[in-house]
Amino acid sequence: MPSQNEERSDTAARCLTPSADNHSGTGPRNMDWGTLNDQANNLMSNYKQTHRDEDIEEAIRILSAWYSGLPSDSQNHAACANSLAFAFYMRFQHSNSIADLEQAVHYWSIVLESSTPGSPHYVPLVVNLGGMLRRRFECHGKLEDLEQAIVMYSAATSSCPPDSPYRHNLLNNYALAVFSRFEQTGDPQDLDLSIQTHQECLSLRPPGHLSHCSTLSNLAIAICARYRHRGNMDDFTSAMAYHSRALELSSPESPSYPTILMNMGLLLRYSFQCNGDLQNLNTAINLYRVALTACPDNHPIRFSLLANYAGDLNVRFTQNGDINDLEYSIELYTNSLANQSSTHAHRFSSLHGLAIALMSRFKVYGVPEDLDLAITHITSSMALCGPSHPEHMPVLMVWINCLIMRYKTRGDIADLDDAVEHSEAAICVCPRESTDYFLLLTHVNNALSTRFSRRQDVRDLKKIVDYCDLALRDVPDRHISNQVLAMDRADALLQQYFHEGGTDTLEHVISFYQDMMQDLSRGHQAFPRVLIQLASALKARFEQGGNADDLNCAVNHYRTACEVCPPGQDDHYAASSGLGNTLLLRYQIFGPLDDLDECLVHLAHIVEIHALATYHPDYPKGLANFAYAIFARFQNQHDITDLDIAVNYLQAARDHPNQSEGRHILTHLATVLSARYNEREDINDLQESIKAFETALPMFASNHPQALHLHRNLARSLQKMYVKRQTIEDLNAAIAHFEACLTISPEGHPDLPLALISLAWCRHKRAKVGKDDDGFQDALSLLSKASEKLPEAHPWFFLVYQHYTIIFEDYYSLTKDASFLEKAFQYHQLASSAPGIHTWDQLTAALRWRTDANEFHHTSALEAYKTSIKLLDRHIMATPTVSGRYKALLGGILRDTPSLAADATACAISAGDLELAVELSEQGRGLLWSQMSRFRATINDLRVVDDEGRRLADEFVLLSAELGKRQSDSSAVTSGPVTETLIRTQQEEEARQYRQISSQWEAVVSKIRQKEGFTYFLTPMPFKELRAAAVAGPIVIINASIKRCDAIIITKDGPPRLIPLPDASLGGITTLSGDFRNVLRNTSGVGEEKTREKQLIPVFRRLWDAVLAPVVEALLTIMPKGSRVWWCPTSKLTSLPIHAAGPYRKGASNMPNIYISSYTPTLSALIRSRRQNVSKVASNTPSFVSIGQSKPNSGSGEKELKAVGAELELVKSLVPASMTCSEVSGDEGTVSGAIQALKTNSWVHLACHGKQDFLQPFDSSFALRDKPLRLSDIIQAEPENPEFAFLSACHTAVGDKNAPDEVIHLAAGMQFSGFRGVIGTMWAVDDNTARHMVKEFYDAMFSGKIDCTNAARALNKASKAVDKDKVPMDQRVVFIHIGA
């Protein structure tokens, strides 16, 4: 809906002035009429300036009183009516009151009736009245108003002299009225006349004319319409040129500014519709966004702007699937309708657009209200544009689509019959030459095809074939409509084959689609549809003839269709469903496991398709099958979300009125509920599980194979109920069902050992309650029988070992026989290494071993810790993505054992093995970084061994790079509507591929370890290698465990040295960390610097007294003051500024004056920092780049950083001439620009906003111009020659409070990416003071030889040299050094 600028003429108001009539009497008649008129005009002039309602109301009152007192034959009658019309018009401009509009029309009509074409006031009156009639048409939609205005304009134009001062206004409004009629009727002659009239008007309004700008815009809009309808690029160029000239003449405050921007956006939209260039659409949307900010609520084009903005957002949603575009589109359409009257001429268009958007959202979420509302709106739109309206057919087609969708959702055949009836009726009256004809015919075909799928009446298919045959006679072979209709015809024939058979029909369809494939490019819009139908036909031929080539081709075609068709489109779901079913068929016939894996990926799509048609008889079956697959995934990955999804789907399947497999659904529901109880211990789940098992059991014959499983699983649920309620009746019932399993199980049944194991547990529990020695012996005997029946290395040995540990521990508690306790811990060890089970089960067994060893003070505790840490590493490694590993680590392990590494280290310290303590501390912390580093291992030594070594090195690098990409979460759904199910299906596919590549990687690593000298390749470093980290100075590991707190000093020579910390405790350190954060949070305001310093000093002093004082005392015996020291803190100590601690007492030295502090997450991280790029550093000239962004993307929510520019200039001035220096900032300060700079420069200074994401730490980021530069992006960057990075941003060295030992922050990511040294920040940086620290740092850094390893010393100097009055204490110690 373009908006044009209408002109009025106030000439009539000025020239039709009253004369003084002489009247007798009192009141207004005795007044000076000239004075009265002047008074009214003054009030209107004031209103024009101030918009005070009192002024215009007083003017109208005066004029109305005057007018009512005039005789009809008074010579002042017309003048007074004109003034009244003008007053009502002025008020209408601000009130939008229909009553004011009607009054203006009424009074100007009276004036015009008394005027003649020869009158000097005739043309201005026509201009004004015609404009008001056009406005009334826009409000009420009555075409007669528009026709009356055009007749008046045409007559006036003919009689108006070329040199008339009013002609330009007349031409302008004439052109607008004709254009409005074109929009209603579609008559191309009106469009040409409008353009011609606008061009004449423009010639009368040269540059400098007050209305030159508006005329440019009006002409551009008319030419734009012609471009839209005829596609001539010259019209596009011309229209854009006129719009651009108009925009140059308008200020952002001008009322015309948003109008011009909107109309430029429309032109770009039409261009997108012609050539498909998405950039044009994006530019149009940006123009609407800017226009909306400049468009007040009462602006006359606001509703049009909202509607156009909304329409283009919806179009973009269909292109890229961004749900935010769709949601905002609906919001804007809704606002647009709220600003329109119910009879507005363009209201149908807003209703039409909103209906389409709501349909799109319904397809994404399936919310019934969206579909109902869409139908309501499209029905209202049809009522506003009847069969004679030029936009009737497009609106009708949307209505047909809505009816079909409602049928598919609710199954009411009446909707489908209505769609068929109205579409067939429309195609009968639609002219063949109409541009809507062929599109309407596809809607007819869709309605008939859908009805056939319900009623199986082959006459509907034959109608499609007949319609297509008739239409194809007149369509050229290469015309796009020819392809679409030919495909409709072939689809109907394929459905006819499925219904009636006929080899000839099938062969004809296959031949047709194969021929079509020859003519279609991969990017053609019909390409996926043809692939899907060809695949379906080939699958049908395989089922008929059994040729495996047909089946394999069908799989390949479906897979390609999935690749080229974006998620969210109907074709994508059809392709995914077809692929899943075909893969399942191939698995059933030929048995490849990969087909089954991939089939599971696509089952979610099948569920989504059926979810939009819940009446479908396959819906409950689809839900149940998908739930089984989800449950299987839970058993492998232990993600409790899978259990919730499976339970929800199975409950929906159970409750569905059309379900026909109730007993199987109940059995699986009971099993999944029992598993969920294991995770959450919600007794409601367990009760429902038992009820479902008991309901399903009688549905099977006693000799049915499923009855055995039901007895066993019901008994296991009763087992759990006994554990929960400790009711002997539950235990006896469980024993009865397990005994039933043994009774009905034939000898040699594979499930018999499991029944024996479970029965042993129950007998043991009953014996424990009754202190029955015979019961204990009976339980042990059952476990022995189960072991005898199990083949070697069977996974159920894990259960045997677990039960042995429990029974022997309880037997020990009863008898105090130490031999039973020793046997229990032997089985603990066996359970944690049991073959054939998931590492998760091994890990939970090892952690249970650790817990029991601590409880019983058993000597195997240290071995339990070593095993737990090794299995933790293996379990986390099995998860494909970094975020998945973090989730597994935090949710599954650290939730229950947050201090595993620290406790293991403390255990080793208590055992007197300090070297092992260091090794366990290293292995149990920084797991995510160390695992990722394995894929970037340096294997240059392997390359020079021999040809095989070179080949293995190449394979390792290739596979490591592939795994590195997959584990970094780089892939994501980027187009189409993103749903939870869709994301999970993609994750399943990625996990399958990850497992394949991981298996290949492990095979290569195994071969590398067979090479001489590479036995320990990629295994955890022993202490003798870890101590290499201390080559440049001592490293202090500070271990904080609930057991004890200690520091371990590591030097390059000699054994590790233990420093007990008797005054420190884990609870005290946790409290200290919280106090420190509270001080920073509560004193962050401007002017609170002194208060902050005063409150920080006691925190630093407590840290010193409890932790650092004993360590520094020991260090001073081996290292002089001023030496470098590396701190490796654990637990909550990672959040405390060790480098700033001190006694802060008179005469005493604080840490900055004692040692040069650096930090390292782990020893191996420091070793990597020392080793990497040494040869490159020596040979290459260092290059320095400053990356800055003061104005991040609007979505970041960050304020502008005023001092970034000055900081970048400062840094540039300090970089020595021996280094190349460049800058990336402003509009170039984007993610791509920053990553390229990181890759190609060895020294980096980064100044911008930093953000630590506490929910997803790998999404922590720097705020850049276009979007955030995430930690995961930095991990992937792989710089060519990194040396040093200075991160002048907030929170770049703040770890994850939930997993502090993982040290997940931006500075650590830079170090992992290869930077040998990194300066980061532990809390917020003051933008105004940072530059002072930066100056002093680089002054010190570049005062001598350029060496990145001098950074810690330079930072220490800077903190002392900076002006204390300008930089408060917290900002002097906020920066820390990490690395070499």
Side-chain angles (χ1 to χ4, degrees):
M1 287 172 284
S3 178
Q4 295 177 303
N5 299 292
E6 193 155 37
E7 301 291 341
R8 66 165 182 82
S9 176
D10 60 0
T11 305
R14 292 197 306 269
C15 296
L16 290 175
T17 55
S19 60
D21 290 332
N22 294 318
H23 296 281
S24 60
T26 60
R29 290 184 174 84
N30 293 327
M31 297 182 67
D32 184 338
W33 296 113
T35 301
L36 195 62
N37 183 64
D38 289 342
Q39 184 180 353
N41 285 335
N42 288 335
L43 287 167
M44 286 190 284
S45 296
N46 290 338
Y47 176 73
K48 189 173 183 181
Q49 298 295 322
T50 65
H51 304 310
R52 276 174 24 98
D53 291 340
E54 294 86 348
D55 289 338
I56 195 66
E57 288 169 3
E58 178 64 13
I60 291 174
R61 188 192 64 78
I62 291 171
L63 293 170
S64 297
W66 174 24
Y67 184 78
S68 63
L70 289 174
S72 59
D73 59 348
S74 171
Q75 59 180 340
N76 289 323
H77 193 267
C80 186
N82 184 71
S83 294
L84 266 173
F86 188 64
F88 280 114
Y89 166 76
M90 289 183 69
R91 191 165 70 178
F92 168 72
Q93 282 185 301
H94 296 280
S95 68
N96 286 322
S97 166
I98 301 299
D100 285 340
L101 176 62
E102 295 289 359
Q103 290 284 10
V105 170
H106 169 71
Y107 283 112
W108 264 323
S109 296
I110 291 172
V111 178
L112 190 64
E113 287 174 4
S114 65
S115 182
T116 61
S119 167
H121 313 305
Y122 179 77
V123 172
L125 287 169
V126 168
V127 170
N128 290 343
L129 177 57
M132 290 297 95
L133 288 168
R134 181 169 174 265
R135 287 288 186 91
R136 192 165 71 178
F137 158 73
E138 290 179 347
C139 292
H140 296 306
K142 295 180 179 179
L143 197 60
E144 52 264 34
D145 279 340
L146 195 59
E147 295 288 0
Q148 181 184 346
I150 291 172
V151 169
M152 288 166 44
Y153 287 142
S154 178
T157 302
S158 300
S159 63
C160 182
D163 57 350
S164 170
Y166 315 126
R167 184 172 179 81
H168 64 92
N169 283 350
L170 177 63
L171 291 171
N172 181 77
N173 288 10
Y174 184 21
L176 296 181
V178 172
F179 184 82
S180 294
R181 187 169 66 184
F182 160 75
E183 289 184 306
Q184 297 301 306
T185 65
D187 187 343
Q189 292 182 351
D190 278 343
L191 182 57
D192 290 335
L193 176 58
S194 176
I195 292 172
Q196 177 185 342
T197 308
H198 274 311
Q199 287 170 333
E200 183 182 350
C201 178
L202 183 62
S203 69
L204 298 175
R205 294 173 170 178
H209 192 282
L210 288 176
S211 298
H212 180 71
C213 178
S214 64
T215 310
L216 287 170
S217 294
N218 292 341
L219 177 56
I221 291 167
I223 296 175
C224 172
R226 189 166 67 186
Y227 165 69
R228 181 188 181 191
H229 285 78
R230 301 177 191 174
N232 188 323
M233 277 304 297
D234 289 341
D235 280 340
F236 173 82
T237 304
S238 178
M240 186 57 74
Y242 284 127
H243 276 316
S244 299
R245 284 165 56 189
L247 191 64
E248 291 173 2
L249 297 172
S250 299
S251 67
E253 296 77 24
S254 168
S256 63
Y257 187 76
T259 305
I260 298 169
L261 289 172
M262 181 189 75
N263 292 332
M264 292 176 76
L266 283 172
L267 179 59
L268 288 164
R269 176 211 288 175
Y270 302 148
S271 177
F272 163 75
Q273 291 171 342
C274 288
N275 56 34
D277 186 351
L278 192 60
Q279 184 57 45
N280 284 337
L281 185 63
N282 290 333
T283 304
I285 289 171
N286 289 334
L287 289 172
Y288 297 144
R289 178 178 53 79
V290 175
L292 194 58
T293 61
C295 186
D297 290 343
N298 61 350
H299 198 289
I301 65 107
R302 186 172 177 85
F303 82 89
S304 296
L305 175 58
L306 291 169
N308 289 321
Y309 195 176
D312 284 7
L313 283 169
N314 190 30
V315 172
R316 189 166 71 179
F317 164 74
T318 65
Q319 298 294 310
N320 60 23
D322 186 345
I323 194 66
N324 293 319
D325 279 346
L326 181 59
E327 295 289 0
Y328 194 28
S329 171
I330 292 171
E331 178 185 337
L332 292 173
Y333 269 132
T334 303
N335 290 341
S336 173
L337 285 167
N339 282 288
Q340 296 175 22
S341 68
S342 60
T343 56
H344 193 280
H346 292 293
R347 186 173 179 83
F348 82 91
S349 180
S350 296
L351 291 165
H352 179 213
L354 180 55
I356 294 172
L358 288 167
M359 277 286 289
S360 297
R361 190 167 71 180
F362 173 75
K363 290 179 181 179
V364 176
Y365 297 121
V367 177
E369 289 79 6
D370 281 341
L371 179 58
D372 292 338
L373 199 53
I375 291 176
T376 298
H377 288 320
I378 200 64
T379 303
S380 298
S381 181
M382 286 184 64
L384 293 174
C385 57
S388 62
H389 195 284
E391 297 297 321
H392 176 74
M393 286 301 179
V395 173
L396 174 67
M397 286 185 271
V398 172
W399 183 69
I400 291 169
N401 285 339
C402 287
L403 289 176
I404 293 174
M405 182 58 70
R406 188 165 68 182
Y407 157 74
K408 290 181 177 179
T409 305
R410 300 171 188 171
D412 186 349
I413 193 66
D415 280 337
L416 203 49
D417 287 337
D418 282 346
V420 171
E421 178 185 348
H422 285 85
S423 60
E424 286 194 294
I427 201 69
C428 291
V429 299
C430 185
R432 294 289 296 275
E433 62 275 8
S434 169
T435 55
D436 294 324
Y437 180 83
F438 294 108
L439 185 58
L440 177 60
L441 184 53
T442 63
H443 283 70
V444 175
N445 294 339
N446 183 31
L448 288 167
S449 176
T450 306
R451 190 168 69 179
F452 166 77
S453 66
R454 170 66 178 267
R455 286 188 169 147
Q456 297 292 298
D457 186 343
V458 77
R459 288 177 297 180
D460 283 336
L461 296 178
K462 291 180 178 179
K463 273 189 176 183
I464 296 174
V465 174
D466 291 342
Y467 276 130
C468 292
D469 285 341
L470 183 63
L472 286 169
R473 295 173 189 168
D474 303 324
V475 182
D477 289 344
R478 295 292 178 180
H479 194 279
I480 187 172
S481 297
N482 181 291
Q483 293 179 335
V484 174
L485 294 175
M487 283 189 288
D488 283 352
R489 182 180 187 276
D491 292 351
L493 289 173
L494 182 58
Q495 291 299 317
Q496 193 172 332
Y497 161 78
F498 288 133
H499 186 71
E500 297 180 338
T503 303
D504 292 342
T505 299
L506 182 60
E507 291 298 332
H508 170 75
V509 169
I510 291 174
S511 177
F512 166 78
Y513 281 121
Q514 286 174 334
D515 289 343
M516 279 209 71
M517 287 298 300
Q518 302 300 317
D519 298 330
L520 296 178
S521 66
R522 188 181 177 91
H524 195 283
Q525 62 180 3
F527 184 76
R529 176 182 174 186
V530 175
L531 274 176
I532 291 167
Q533 292 302 98
L534 177 57
S536 179
L538 289 170
K539 177 173 176 281
R541 191 165 70 179
F542 166 77
E543 291 170 332
Q544 184 184 73
N547 186 335
D549 289 342
D550 282 339
L551 189 59
N552 292 332
C553 284
V555 169
N556 292 336
H557 288 328
Y558 276 130
R559 184 173 285 117
T560 302
C562 287
E563 292 170 359
V564 301
C565 195
Q569 293 187 0
D570 291 341
D571 283 343
H572 179 84
Y573 294 135
S576 183
S577 175
L579 179 57
N581 289 329
T582 309
L583 285 167
L584 180 60
L585 176 62
R586 192 165 72 176
Y587 167 72
Q588 291 169 333
I589 302 298
F590 301 110
L593 289 175
D594 282 351
D595 281 352
L596 182 58
D597 285 341
E598 192 176 353
C599 171
L600 294 174
V601 173
H602 298 284
L603 283 175
H605 286 313
I606 299 172
V607 170
E608 284 196 343
I609 291 169
H610 289 157
L612 293 177
T614 55
Y615 67 91
H616 198 288
D618 287 341
Y619 181 60
K621 185 191 300 183
L623 287 175
N625 288 335
F626 186 45
Y628 309 156
I630 290 294
F631 180 56
R633 183 166 65 191
F634 161 77
Q635 291 175 309
N636 182 55
Q637 297 183 3
H638 292 273
D639 184 349
I640 197 170
T641 307
D642 280 340
L643 283 177
D644 294 334
I645 294 172
V647 168
N648 290 339
Y649 284 160
L650 284 165
Q651 287 174 334
R654 176 199 61 189
D655 299 337
H656 198 282
N658 291 340
Q659 62 91 356
S660 58
E661 300 183 359
R663 61 182 186 174
H664 295 293
I665 292 173
L666 280 172
T667 300
H668 285 283
L669 175 60
T671 302
V672 177
L673 284 167
S674 180
R676 190 167 74 174
Y677 171 78
N678 294 343
E679 300 298 318
R680 293 206 178 111
E681 296 190 4
D682 182 346
I683 198 170
N684 293 320
D685 280 343
L686 193 54
Q687 289 173 333
E688 190 177 348
S689 170
I690 292 171
K691 181 180 178 181
F693 277 132
E694 290 176 339
T695 304
L697 186 59
M699 297 180 180
F700 294 91
S702 59
N703 61 347
H704 193 285
Q706 189 67 24
L708 173 62
H709 298 293
L710 278 169
H711 277 296
R712 186 191 69 204
N713 291 334
L714 174 55
R716 291 175 68 182
S717 289
L718 288 164
Q719 261 185 295
K720 298 171 191 175
M721 187 62 80
Y722 166 73
V723 172
K724 184 71 174 179
R725 299 193 301 199
Q726 294 294 303
T727 304
I728 197 67
E729 288 80 9
D730 291 328
L731 187 59
N732 288 333
I735 290 173
H737 282 291
F738 279 130
E739 289 174 341
C741 286
L742 297 178
T743 301
I744 64 177
S745 294
E747 187 62 32
H749 191 283
D751 283 349
L752 188 58
L754 189 58
L756 289 166
I757 294 168
S758 300
L759 182 58
W761 183 93
C762 291
R763 294 271 178 86
H764 150 247
K765 288 298 179 184
R766 191 161 63 180
K768 182 180 179 182
V769 171
K771 298 182 179 180
D772 179 5
D773 186 80
D774 291 340
F776 275 102
Q777 294 296 332
D778 185 28
L780 293 171
S781 175
L782 288 169
L783 288 179
S784 178
K785 290 179 182 178
S787 299
E788 292 172 0
K789 294 181 179 296
L790 288 174
E792 186 179 355
H794 194 283
W796 286 348
F797 271 112
F798 173 70
L799 299 175
V800 173
Y801 300 150
Q802 278 193 312
H803 288 321
Y804 268 132
T805 61
I806 297 170
I807 292 172
F808 278 123
E809 284 179 358
D810 287 343
Y811 214 176
Y812 163 76
S813 298
L814 178 66
T815 65
K816 303 303 179 183
D817 185 338
S819 65
F820 291 148
L821 188 62
E822 290 305 314
K823 287 181 180 179
F825 281 99
Q826 289 172 12
Y827 283 111
H828 266 310
Q829 188 165 8
L830 288 171
S832 65
S833 59
I837 62 172
H838 196 273
T839 54
W840 170 268
D841 295 316
Q842 292 179 325
L843 175 57
T844 54
L847 292 172
R848 192 177 302 114
W849 174 16
R850 172 216 56 179
T851 301
D852 288 352
N854 284 331
E855 179 183 347
F856 289 101
H857 304 288
H858 194 262
T859 56
S860 66
L862 186 55
E863 189 62 32
Y865 275 116
K866 289 166 60 178
T867 304
S868 296
I869 288 178
K870 179 183 70 176
L871 289 171
L872 174 60
D873 178 78
R874 188 181 301 169
H875 173 66
I876 301 301
M877 183 69 177
T879 306
T881 64
V882 171
S883 61
R885 291 174 187 172
Y886 171 76
K887 182 179 179 182
L889 185 66
L890 186 64
I893 305 300
L894 293 185
R895 178 188 62 196
D896 302 319
T897 56
S899 57
L900 178 62
D903 292 345
T905 303
C907 186
I909 291 172
S910 297
D913 194 338
L914 292 185
E915 291 189 2
L916 178 59
V918 172
E919 292 171 354
L920 290 175
S921 177
E922 183 72 12
Q923 293 168 26
R925 295 181 301 107
L927 281 171
L928 303 181
W929 293 121
S930 63
Q931 287 184 355
M932 283 190 290
S933 70
R934 296 178 192 177
F935 303 120
R936 297 186 178 184
T938 302
I939 55 172
N940 291 334
D941 292 341
L942 179 62
R943 295 185 186 278
V944 299
V945 172
D946 53 24
D947 290 342
E948 184 189 27
R950 188 179 302 108
R951 179 181 59 78
L952 288 172
D954 290 341
E955 289 184 34
F956 176 81
V957 169
L958 181 65
L959 292 169
S960 294
E962 186 62 27
L963 282 176
K965 292 176 184 176
R966 295 183 182 280
Q967 70 182 354
S968 62
D969 298 328
S970 58
S971 60
V973 179
T974 55
S975 61
V978 180
T979 64
E980 180 183 354
T981 302
L982 184 59
I983 294 171
R984 293 180 67 80
T985 56
Q986 186 186 37
Q987 290 173 344
E988 182 63 28
E989 169 61 13
E990 290 172 348
R992 184 182 72 84
Q993 295 180 12
Y994 177 87
R995 288 192 296 270
Q996 291 179 342
I997 299 168
S998 181
S999 177
Q1000 297 171 23
W1001 183 86
E1002 288 173 357
V1004 169
V1005 169
S1006 177
K1007 291 179 182 178
I1008 291 174
R1009 288 175 181 162
Q1010 294 172 17
K1011 304 291 290 183
E1012 184 177 355
F1014 291 87
T1015 304
Y1016 300 105
F1017 180 70
L1018 294 186
T1019 56
M1021 288 186 184
F1023 176 77
K1024 63 182 180 180
E1025 292 187 24
L1026 289 172
R1027 70 190 312 164
V1031 66
I1035 300 169
V1036 182
I1037 298 174
I1038 308 178
N1039 191 67
S1041 166
I1042 196 170
K1043 297 173 177 291
R1044 57 185 293 166
C1045 293
D1046 305 272
I1048 302 176
I1049 300 175
I1050 303 168
T1051 58
K1052 63 179 179 179
D1053 301 312
R1057 182 174 176 180
L1058 178 68
I1059 311 296
L1061 304 175
D1063 295 331
S1065 68
L1066 182 59
I1069 291 170
T1070 301
T1071 300
L1072 186 60
S1073 174
D1075 292 346
F1076 174 63
R1077 290 296 164 195
N1078 286 336
V1079 170
L1080 293 178
R1081 181 169 53 249
N1082 297 334
T1083 61
S1084 59
V1086 176
E1088 295 185 287
E1089 292 81 5
K1090 293 297 182 182
T1091 302
R1092 189 180 315 133
E1093 180 173 345
K1094 185 177 180 181
Q1095 294 183 17
L1096 281 176
I1097 286 175
V1099 174
F1100 293 167
R1101 186 180 295 134
R1102 288 160 58 195
L1103 178 60
W1104 171 267
D1105 292 340
V1107 178
L1108 275 305
V1111 177
V1112 171
E1113 183 180 353
L1115 283 172
L1116 287 172
T1117 65
I1118 59 175
M1119 299 292 293
K1121 285 187 176 183
S1123 302
R1124 291 193 64 183
V1125 174
W1126 277 262
W1127 303 103
C1128 187
T1130 67
S1131 186
K1132 294 296 183 180
L1133 283 166
T1134 58
S1135 64
L1136 290 167
I1138 293 172
H1139 65 287
Y1144 287 89
R1145 300 179 182 96
K1146 188 174 182 180
S1149 296
N1150 301 318
M1151 188 64 74
N1153 294 315
I1154 303 174
Y1155 288 120
I1156 310 299
S1157 293
S1158 293
Y1159 291 82
T1160 184
T1162 60
L1163 303 184
S1164 55
L1166 184 56
I1167 291 172
R1168 288 194 300 271
S1169 293
R1170 297 196 194 285
R1171 289 178 178 172
Q1172 56 202 7
N1173 302 319
V1174 173
S1175 60
K1176 294 182 179 179
V1177 169
S1179 59
N1180 291 338
T1181 300
S1183 56
F1184 191 107
V1185 64
S1186 296
I1187 304 172
Q1189 187 51 258
S1190 60
K1191 298 179 180 178
N1193 68 93
S1194 57
S1196 69
E1198 301 286 3
K1199 64 181 181 180
E1200 181 179 354
L1201 294 173
K1202 304 290 186 181
V1204 165
E1207 182 174 330
L1208 296 185
E1209 286 297 320
L1210 172 63
V1211 171
K1212 184 177 180 181
S1213 70
L1214 296 172
V1215 175
S1218 59
M1219 303 178 77
T1220 62
C1221 185
S1222 59
E1223 180 179 314
V1224 176
S1225 62
D1227 290 341
E1228 295 178 358
T1230 61
V1231 168
S1232 60
I1235 289 177
Q1236 184 62 26
L1238 289 174
K1239 285 183 177 181
T1240 56
N1241 290 275
S1242 52
W1243 289 58
V1244 175
H1245 183 93
L1246 203 154
C1248 61
H1249 279 292
K1251 177 185 178 183
Q1252 178 74 8
D1253 191 319
F1254 292 106
L1255 295 178
Q1256 292 291 339
F1258 283 95
D1259 284 339
S1260 300
S1261 60
F1262 296 109
L1264 298 183
R1265 176 58 58 87
D1266 56 341
K1267 58 182 178 180
L1269 174 63
R1270 302 177 303 157
L1271 176 55
S1272 54
D1273 299 323
I1274 295 171
I1275 292 171
Q1276 296 178 68
E1278 298 190 13
E1280 298 169 4
N1281 187 30
E1283 290 188 57
F1284 172 75
F1286 191 119
L1287 308 182
S1288 182
C1290 298
H1291 309 295
T1292 58
V1294 181
D1296 177 14
K1297 63 181 180 181
N1298 297 313
D1301 285 336
E1302 288 305 301
V1303 199
I1304 308 171
H1305 51 61
L1306 293 162
M1310 296 292 284
Q1311 184 190 26
F1312 173 80
S1313 296
F1315 287 92
R1316 303 178 65 202
V1318 181
I1319 300 291
T1321 54
M1322 293 190 73
W1323 53 87
V1325 179
D1326 187 338
D1327 183 38
N1328 295 316
T1329 61
R1331 65 180 182 276
H1332 300 296
M1333 282 292 293
V1334 169
K1335 180 183 184 305
E1336 296 297 341
F1337 171 79
Y1338 283 115
D1339 276 342
M1341 191 71 175
F1342 296 137
S1343 61
K1345 180 183 177 182
I1346 298 176
D1347 185 349
C1348 67
T1349 61
N1350 292 330
R1353 196 172 297 277
L1355 182 61
N1356 182 270
K1357 287 182 179 180
S1359 67
K1360 299 173 185 176
V1362 74
D1363 188 337
K1364 307 300 187 292
D1365 293 330
K1366 294 181 178 179
V1367 183
M1369 178 187 182
D1370 68 295
Q1371 293 298 298
R1372 299 197 297 273
V1373 297
V1374 64
F1375 294 98
I1376 64 170
H1377 175 260
I1378 299 173

